[in-house]
Amino acid sequence: MLHALTGVVCNVDLLYVLTPASAYIMQETVTVDLYIIRKIGHFLRQFPQVTTDVVALLDEWAARFFDELDYVKEGQNAEIFAAQMAADLPQVAIDHLSVCCSR
């Protein structure tokens, strides 16, 4: 997905743009990094001093992290947040949110 989010939060102009290529590269890089860390977690299982299940912890964290990389969902959450804040904090606003093409 290619989309851009622009808005004003507490009088600070923001512009976020994500291209399909950068989204793919980011997801690919994170996946490789998590794979390497997961391998280290498997290695650490042989040490009784390491009492945390690093692999399970990483898997749970990774699932939430990849949810954060879903920029369409994040855009929808931004709209919901702005609507919920409208009455008490009218300076929180989204000027423009669009999904302009798909991959």
Side-chain angles (χ1 to χ4, degrees), residues 13-64:
D13 290 328
L14 302 174
L15 172 62
Y16 300 102
V17 178
L18 181 69
T19 65
S22 66
Y24 175 77
I25 291 167
M26 183 181 354
Q27 191 168 20
E28 183 180 78
T29 302
V30 169
T31 300
V32 170
D33 291 346
L34 291 174
Y35 175 79
I36 293 168
I37 296 169
R38 201 168 190 280
K39 286 290 192 186
I40 294 169
H42 281 289
F43 173 76
L44 291 175
R45 285 182 172 168
Q46 67 182 323
F47 300 101
Q49 302 91 333
V50 179
T51 57
T52 301
D53 185 350
V54 175
V55 174
L57 181 65
L58 181 65
D59 288 348
E60 184 62 30
W61 178 85
R64 300 293 110 10

